[in-house]
Amino acid sequence: MKSPICDMLGIEFPLLAFSHCRDVVAAVSRAGGFGVLGATAHSPESIEQELKWIDDHCDGKPYGLDVLIPENISTAGEKDVTWKSLEARISPTHRDFTKNLLKKYGIELTTTNVADNQPQPFDAQRAMEVLEASFRHPIKLIANALGVPPKAMIEMGRKHDVPVAALIGSKEHALRQVAAGVDILVAQGTEAGGHCGEVSTMVLVPEVSRRSKRSATCRCWPRGIMTGRQMAAAMAMGRRVPGPARCGLPPSSPRPRKFSAKR
């Protein structure tokens, strides 16, 4: 099974796996697919360690990187916003509401300690620094979620001759991404996590295919694709590459037990 994205990414099979687990990324790439590491929680230092490990375990096969740079965020324009300074903006009323809600349903409240200088979640500057560090390694794709990638990210891809991918959840998203110069559209239906909108996969996929048919932009269908039949359905509806959430899972990767039983 071949598609244009095989030539674009230098892979044997048109199958992508987005994962936060480096084992999955390396295993999928070794098997002839394309692993994409989720780097949202990483710093330039930690991503260096992760990518070095992947380089040592992917047998020279291509892989990519995924970041989260929101197109719209409440702290846009602010500088040096830290996790703790953002947390301090939460009102006592909201804190009490949350604690009471968790208590009502018997859910234990857990907390995580972070450094005083830890940047806010989804910090654009930190994400760009992570991308800069990543290009010290032979990555072959960079991807973004939560809107059109910033111009600097698209230019970074052009500079390194690496395609840029972006998540979409509607035909309007697709048209905006194509206009911005994105190379690969990652069409994600609402049942695949609900990150991009409320349009279901069965409606979204053919609609995006029709609207972007005249574009050179490649299209893929991520998450929830687990079997050969689902892959065939994805291709039949116009996907140039089906992208599963989990693929070729090594024993060390995190996964629900029911998926482990199906291996």
Side-chain angles (χ1 to χ4, degrees):
M1 182 185 291
K2 291 286 185 179
S3 75
I5 206 167
C6 292
D7 295 328
M8 179 182 286
L9 299 178
I11 55 180
E12 185 176 357
F13 307 110
L15 191 149
L16 276 67
F18 291 76
S19 177
H20 295 286
C21 178
R22 65 188 187 183
D23 301 68
V24 174
V25 172
V28 171
S29 290
R30 282 199 310 271
F34 192 87
V36 183
L37 181 68
T40 302
H42 283 287
S43 66
E45 294 75 24
S46 65
I47 201 64
E48 174 69 29
Q49 297 175 2
E50 293 293 282
L51 297 188
K52 184 180 185 304
W53 188 94
I54 293 173
D55 290 341
D56 292 339
H57 292 82
C58 71
D59 296 343
K61 298 298 181 64
Y63 65 90
L65 198 79
D66 177 28
V67 296
L68 273 174
I69 305 179
E71 188 175 0
N72 297 300
I73 189 170
S74 62
T75 54
E78 298 184 37
K79 293 184 178 181
D80 302 321
V81 180
T82 65
W83 187 294
K84 289 189 174 180
S85 69
L86 197 61
E87 185 181 36
R89 303 182 189 187
I90 302 174
S91 69
T93 301
H94 184 76
R95 291 177 184 275
D96 291 340
F97 168 79
T98 303
K99 290 179 181 178
N100 291 334
L101 187 64
L102 293 174
K103 183 178 179 180
K104 178 181 178 180
Y105 292 100
I107 300 174
E108 181 182 359
L109 176 63
T110 59
T111 59
T112 302
N113 291 324
V114 297
D116 290 340
N117 63 346
Q118 173 74 28
Q120 64 176 330
F122 313 140
D123 186 78
Q125 181 178 345
R126 169 60 68 94
M128 293 302 294
E129 292 171 355
V130 167
L131 287 174
E132 288 282 2
S134 300
F135 275 110
R136 301 187 192 115
H137 299 263
I139 59 173
K140 300 301 181 183
L141 171 77
I142 54 177
N144 183 55
L146 301 182
V148 175
K151 185 178 180 181
M153 180 176 174
I154 296 176
E155 290 176 346
M156 187 181 293
R158 300 287 183 271
K159 175 183 176 182
H160 294 277
D161 196 26
V162 166
V164 180
L167 267 67
I168 60 168
S170 71
K171 63 179 183 295
E172 290 82 9
H173 294 168
L175 295 173
R176 293 183 63 236
Q177 297 285 11
V178 170
V182 165
D183 302 295
I184 300 173
L185 299 178
V186 184
Q188 178 171 296
T190 189
E191 72 273 30
H195 303 110
C196 298
E198 299 178 350
V199 182
S200 69
T201 300
M202 291 290 286
V203 174
L204 177 65
V205 171
E207 186 173 45
V208 169
S209 294
R210 287 194 301 270
R211 290 303 184 104
S212 58
K213 192 171 184 178
R214 296 182 181 179
S215 168
T217 305
C218 273
R219 303 173 292 278
C220 81
W221 173 7
R223 311 197 190 278
I225 309 303
M226 303 288 292
T227 69
R229 288 183 178 182
Q230 290 173 322
M231 288 184 63
M235 301 294 278
M237 287 199 297
R239 298 305 79 198
R240 296 185 181 176
V241 48
R246 303 248 191 267
C247 170
L249 294 171
S252 57
S253 68
R255 62 202 182 274
R257 290 181 181 178
K258 63 181 180 181
F259 293 153
S260 300
K262 294 181 179 180
R263 295 183 70 228

